[in-house]
Amino acid sequence: MAEEKKKAQHLLSIEQLTEAEIERYVDLAIELKRQRAADVASSKEPIAKQNWALIFSKSSTRTRVSFEVGIRELGGRAMYFSSRDLQLGRGEPIKDTARVMGRMIDGAIIRTYDQQDVVEFAEFSGVPTINALTDEEHPCQILADLMTMKELLGGWKGRTVAFLGDGDNNMSRSWMWAAERCGFRLVIGAPQAYQPSEKYLSRLTSGNIICEKDPSKAAEGADVLYTDVWVSMGQEEESARRIADLQAFQINDRLLEAAAKDAIVMHCLPAYREKEITEKVLEQHSDTIFQEAENRLHAQKAILAVLGVR
Ligand code: CP
Ligand code: NVA
């Protein structure tokens, strides 16, 4: 029964991690990637016979596929539920859903709107709970992004990441917490109305996160140019306004020119060509961008291996 298990660990937010915890996930992900390439992963099954539920209220390609494959590769079983499939979709409270599922499953992976919902599920289920994207944060993506930086740039120490576009969404926020914990320089390039909210800025103490309204200045000297969609899931009604407002922050040849000579370009995907990034820049940097997408699998296997230990 859930009550008899040791206290579950969760991954709900990058803000709640230390740099040592972030490095543990990233280094384990790199090791699991090496083992997978050497085809020895099947002998390492840290979640053998465990049942993990994916509960998704929003669309997903990368997160769903990488978790389902990762769980199987680590010896566990994955069950996917859209929130419509569950009584949750008909109004059953999260705390009841969590208490029922927590007595049957070994862990939960949740994609939803409100951060409070994953916090509540974690609290009431008693099983490891992973934030697979909320409106507030996308911690799994950031761990894969940091892993990609480590593979391609040797790490994040002394590096500058320029995040361009919607500076007040789940991705920019997870980047802020990663920079706050790991000490690299982060420039958020966004118009005033899309700069991070005061609610989050007031929680920063490190001084290495800079808000910049001029797109060229934001990109200047950056080692990583990073972007995300301008219209996040749930914001579809604001599409026209957002696309008009964010045009100057598109990653294109001009902004790339302002970055460091060997700058890499990253995108969490899905990408909307000629909106947040041009087709040309995306295709020129597709090796990096799809390595980053593949790293979702390895990073999430690391998360499962750490949190799934009984
Ligand atoms: N980057 C990302 O989370 O992709 P999906 O929405 O396809 O899972
Ligand atoms: N900010 C985007 C991320 C997609 C992976 C969204 O929430 O839709």
Side-chain angles (χ1 to χ4, degrees), residues 10-14 16 115 118-119 122 129-131 134 137 139:
H10 311 291
L11 175 69
L12 305 182
S13 152
I14 295 289
Q16 292 168 355
Q115 177 76 11
V118 291
V119 171
T129 301
I130 300 174
N131 176 355
T134 58
E137 273 219 46

Side-chain angles (χ1 to χ4, degrees), residues 56 58-66 111 132-133 138 140-141 171 226 228 233 267-270 292-293 296 300:
F56 280 36
K58 293 177 176 175
S59 305
S60 169
T61 298
R62 279 142 290 270
T63 310
R64 178 177 176 181
V65 175
S66 52
R111 170 168 283 204
L133 181 149
H138 196 359
C140 297
Q141 179 71 52
M171 282 309 311
Y226 195 102
D228 178 19
M233 290 179 276
H267 192 312
C268 58
L269 301 176
E292 178 189 0
R296 296 294 305 280
Q300 286 155 202

Side-chain angles (χ1 to χ4, degrees), residues 1-302:
M1 295 227 303
E3 289 85 349
E4 290 159 6
K5 288 184 190 163
K6 78 173 170 63
K7 200 168 180 324
Q9 297 182 79
H10 311 291
L11 175 69
L12 305 182
S13 152
I14 295 289
E15 186 183 12
Q16 292 168 355
L17 300 182
T18 62
E19 184 175 15
E21 287 165 335
I22 289 172
E23 287 231 64
R24 180 182 181 199
Y25 285 125
V26 168
D27 291 344
L28 180 57
I30 291 172
E31 173 56 18
L32 289 168
K33 188 174 185 177
R34 190 194 63 72
Q35 286 179 9
R36 187 177 194 250
D39 200 27
V40 294
S42 55
S43 65
K44 303 239 187 290
E45 297 195 331
I47 56 167
K49 297 200 171 76
Q50 292 188 16
N51 291 297
W52 283 70
L54 282 79
I55 306 168
F56 280 36
S57 306
K58 293 177 176 175
S59 305
S60 169
T61 298
R62 279 142 290 270
T63 310
R64 178 177 176 181
V65 175
S66 52
F67 265 118
E68 291 206 24
V69 171
I71 288 165
R72 281 185 207 130
E73 287 193 1
L74 295 177
R77 300 184 197 105
M79 292 175 290
Y80 177 85
F81 304 99
S82 93
S83 54
R84 278 193 313 275
D85 298 329
L86 302 174
Q87 295 287 8
L88 253 183
R90 298 179 61 245
E92 184 169 21
I94 288 171
K95 61 184 180 183
D96 293 357
T97 308
R99 280 179 286 189
V100 171
M101 292 183 87
R103 286 163 186 263
M104 301 179 193
I105 62 172
D106 297 284
I109 296 152
I110 303 180
R111 170 168 283 204
T112 190
Y113 295 87
D114 191 343
Q115 177 76 11
Q116 198 46 42
D117 290 351
V118 291
V119 171
E120 192 174 326
F121 194 98
E123 186 186 337
F124 283 89
S125 68
V127 295
T129 301
I130 300 174
N131 176 355
L133 181 149
T134 58
D135 289 347
E136 183 134 336
E137 273 219 46
H138 196 359
C140 297
Q141 179 71 52
I142 283 292
L143 291 173
D145 294 342
L146 292 173
M147 174 187 176
T148 310
M149 276 181 78
K150 194 155 190 168
E151 287 180 329
L152 296 177
L153 303 176
W156 44 79
K157 293 275 174 273
R159 296 294 187 177
T160 297
V161 176
F163 182 99
L164 297 152
D166 181 2
D168 199 24
N169 75 6
N170 41 17
M171 282 309 311
S172 56
R173 247 166 252 142
S174 285
W175 270 113
M176 286 199 318
W177 303 130
E180 171 87 352
R181 299 289 171 259
C182 299
F184 57 85
R185 195 165 162 267
L186 175 71
V187 184
I188 308 252
Q192 182 60 46
Y194 296 81
Q195 288 285 340
S197 322
E198 195 45 43
K199 174 180 161 196
Y200 301 107
L201 289 176
S202 62
R203 286 177 4 211
L204 300 174
T205 56
S206 60
N208 50 312
I209 295 142
I210 297 130
C211 296
E212 175 56 64
K213 291 191 273 290
D214 179 316
S216 302
K217 280 195 197 145
E220 208 171 278
D223 301 293
V224 179
L225 285 188
Y226 195 102
T227 193
D228 178 19
V229 295
W230 288 342
V231 183
S232 285
M233 290 179 276
Q235 298 175 328
E236 289 75 9
E237 283 176 12
E238 301 169 19
S239 290
R241 179 168 58 77
R242 290 178 155 269
I243 291 166
D245 290 349
L246 293 168
Q247 206 59 55
F249 294 82
Q250 179 189 70
I251 299 193
N252 51 27
D253 283 340
R254 193 177 48 79
L255 279 197
L256 204 49
E257 195 62 29
K261 197 170 133 292
D262 297 321
I264 62 169
V265 174
M266 296 177 72
H267 192 312
C268 58
L269 301 176
Y272 290 82
R273 286 151 168 91
E274 309 310 326
K275 302 282 191 307
E276 73 275 4
I277 191 165
T278 58
E279 166 86 13
K280 183 168 170 231
V281 172
L282 188 142
E283 291 302 338
Q284 270 169 354
H285 291 267
S286 58
D287 285 352
T288 302
I289 291 167
F290 290 100
Q291 178 173 337
E292 178 189 0
E294 179 195 324
N295 282 343
R296 296 294 305 280
L297 170 65
H298 312 297
Q300 286 155 202
K301 282 171 73 179

